Amino acid sequence: MTTRRSIAIIGAGPIGLEALLQADALGFDARLFEAGRVGEHVRRWGHVRLFSPWHMNHSPLGLRLLEAGDDPLPGAEDFLTGAEYADVYLDRLGRHERLAPHIRARHRLVAVTREGLGKSDLVGGPRDRRPFRMLFDTPDGERIEHADVVIDCSGTFGNPNWMGSGNIPALGERELREEILYTLPDLGEAPRSEWAGRHVLVVGSGQSAATALDQLVGLPRTRVTWVARDSGSTPLPVIDDDPLPERRRLSERANALAQGADPAVSYLDGAAIQAIRSVSGGYEATVSRGDSRRTVVVNRVLALVGHSPDNALYRELQVHECYATFGPMKLAAGLLADAGGDCLARKSTGAESLGHPEPDFYILGAKSYGKNSSFLIRLGLEQVRAAFVTISARASDDATRAPRV
């Protein structure tokens, strides 16, 4: 029999909601804190269609909860947009009578620590005798909350990388942070005057950049300068017999553009942004390529260079981070060893890879992959189930442990 240990979950995306589902099913006292609204980050890329079908993006627990209602659900092989996924799954879970009372929207985590302890205290000692202490910004001002277990599912979407060489700001980039677009815009719905007939700088070589290029080349009189860090004429990998046809189509399309398939696209591989500044009607970017430099004057800038975890939130906890990705060390080591593999073939690496020297603290979901962009929702749902094996086992032993002081 388990005791009702209190659990604080950070982030009301698909992984945070799954953690709340698991906690509720197992009888834990859980609260979910979300900086915005349920599914906030998913909503921000709501116009983008998921590569993976519906059956990969929900859990059996979540599906059973919603199947008891009257609202229709997607077919197993349906490919939803982010907005559709938020509507039919995340919002419905967030409104369900089992979960809604435990969700605290508009509670932004500022920092988490142990009550009365800093990072350097009780190294290797019984830190779990002190509860976690969390500072939140809320609509009513600052607030302190406590919990026995903290599960950080806050993701990485709100923390984009810089586009400058070496992932630090290019000269002038900090000043223009609010003008440069670091996430994929809805090019289908934006006013045509913002993109049609414009010169657009696209920085990055992942699927977001491929999606942007696919849409931009369809606009009349639009030119694109595409800057990619790695060298080579095929910036995106193409997987043989890819089970996700849209991923393969976008990769092949982007590679064709890199090889000159459309004269409206100028591709600069092995290049980096050194500086950017405002000029009349747009921006002037300085691009280095080997020993040479050139300036490009553009109207809009899309810096689709990925995201990183905000590890400042838990800087006073004893978290073992990967030196290369900022993800949990054991998990990151497994991902680095399988760096060339398809993310679809990956399985959750189990509870052992999710732990830290800090007891009862977990980083799950996209944030657990750090700067590695190969995360899938399915993997995060598996992580939650693995983590609760450990959480439940520790709760069962709680009665024999020394009381907190």
Side-chain angles (χ1 to χ4, degrees):
M1 181 176 179
T2 62
T3 60
R4 283 179 60 82
R5 304 186 78 204
S6 61
I7 300 176
I9 302 162
I10 311 302
I15 312 309
L17 286 167
E18 180 66 15
L20 184 58
L21 274 168
Q22 291 285 339
D24 176 73
L26 294 169
F28 288 103
D29 173 21
R31 291 154 293 158
L32 190 159
F33 300 94
E34 164 57 47
R37 53 186 167 166
V38 169
E40 180 69 36
H41 284 173
V42 175
R43 289 282 183 192
R44 293 188 192 179
W45 51 264
H47 55 285
V48 179
R49 193 166 298 279
L50 289 157
F51 289 145
S52 51
W54 161 246
H55 73 83
M56 292 179 60
N57 296 313
H58 64 75
S59 70
L61 198 58
L63 190 62
R64 283 198 299 271
L65 206 65
L66 297 187
E67 283 179 332
D70 297 326
D71 294 323
L73 291 168
E77 299 300 327
D78 287 351
F79 291 84
L80 308 182
T81 65
E84 290 168 344
Y85 179 56
D87 285 342
V88 304
Y89 191 60
L90 304 182
D91 281 357
R92 291 183 192 177
L93 287 178
R95 295 194 307 267
H96 195 278
E97 61 183 9
R98 294 278 298 274
L99 304 187
H102 306 286
I103 298 175
R104 309 287 186 267
R106 298 174 66 192
H107 279 57
R108 180 181 296 279
L109 179 66
V110 178
V112 56
T113 188
R114 291 279 187 181
E115 188 67 63
L117 299 178
K119 192 179 189 74
S120 301
D121 297 319
L122 294 181
V123 176
R127 289 174 62 89
D128 54 343
R129 294 186 182 182
R130 304 284 185 96
F132 289 103
R133 184 177 191 267
M134 298 164 286
L135 172 63
F136 289 93
D137 278 333
T138 82
D140 299 320
E142 294 183 325
R143 181 180 180 89
I144 294 293
E145 296 277 353
H146 293 88
D148 299 317
V149 178
V150 173
I151 305 174
D152 185 353
C153 308
S154 58
T156 63
F157 189 81
N159 197 40
N161 294 326
W162 295 100
M163 70 172 180
S165 177
N167 284 351
I168 68 170
L171 292 172
E173 186 177 358
R174 289 184 298 166
E175 182 180 347
L176 298 173
R177 184 71 159 178
E178 300 303 316
E179 298 180 35
I180 296 169
L181 294 178
Y182 292 89
T183 58
L184 185 64
D186 188 350
L187 297 173
E189 295 297 330
R192 294 180 71 82
S193 60
E194 291 188 18
W195 303 100
R198 300 301 184 96
H199 187 180
V200 182
L201 175 65
V202 176
V203 185
S205 57
Q207 289 293 342
S208 292
T211 301
L213 290 160
D214 187 51
Q215 297 181 22
L216 286 169
V217 294
L219 298 176
R221 305 180 312 283
T222 296
R223 294 183 298 131
V224 177
T225 295
W226 178 15
V227 173
R229 179 178 62 182
D230 294 334
S231 299
S233 60
T234 55
L236 276 81
V238 177
I239 299 171
D240 292 335
D241 300 320
D242 193 335
L244 302 180
E246 181 63 6
R247 178 173 66 176
R248 183 182 182 95
R249 185 191 73 81
L250 283 172
S251 296
E252 291 178 337
R253 175 64 166 151
N255 289 341
L257 292 172
Q259 295 166 15
D262 193 312
V265 176
S266 175
Y267 176 59
L268 301 177
D269 66 318
I273 305 297
Q274 297 293 339
I276 188 164
R277 66 185 184 96
S278 292
V279 295
S280 178
Y283 308 92
E284 181 185 85
T286 301
V287 183
S288 63
R289 195 181 186 202
D291 295 330
S292 66
R293 293 197 177 200
R294 70 173 73 181
T295 58
V296 181
V297 177
V298 298
N299 306 113
R300 304 297 301 273
V301 180
L302 277 177
L304 303 176
V305 290
H307 300 77
S308 295
D310 181 2
N311 58 0
L313 297 176
Y314 41 80
R315 63 179 297 173
E316 290 302 324
L317 297 180
Q318 294 176 0
V319 175
H320 192 192
E321 293 180 326
C322 174
Y323 55 84
T325 68
F326 296 120
M329 188 64 205
K330 291 180 181 178
L331 174 60
L335 294 175
L336 288 170
D338 188 34
D342 181 10
C343 56
L344 280 180
R346 257 183 216 130
K347 302 291 184 183
S348 172
T349 50
E352 176 63 23
S353 69
L354 302 174
H356 297 277
E358 189 69 61
D360 300 315
F361 180 73
Y362 300 88
I363 302 171
L364 306 182
K367 194 169 188 175
S368 72
Y369 272 44
K371 294 171 73 71
N372 187 319
S373 62
S374 63
F375 174 76
L376 292 175
I377 292 173
R378 172 183 62 79
L379 295 170
L381 300 177
E382 293 175 3
Q383 285 181 340
V384 172
R385 292 190 287 272
F388 269 90
V389 171
T390 300
I391 293 170
S392 296
R394 286 181 60 80
S396 297
D397 294 338
D398 210 34
T400 64
R401 298 164 66 200
R404 288 187 171 88
V405 294

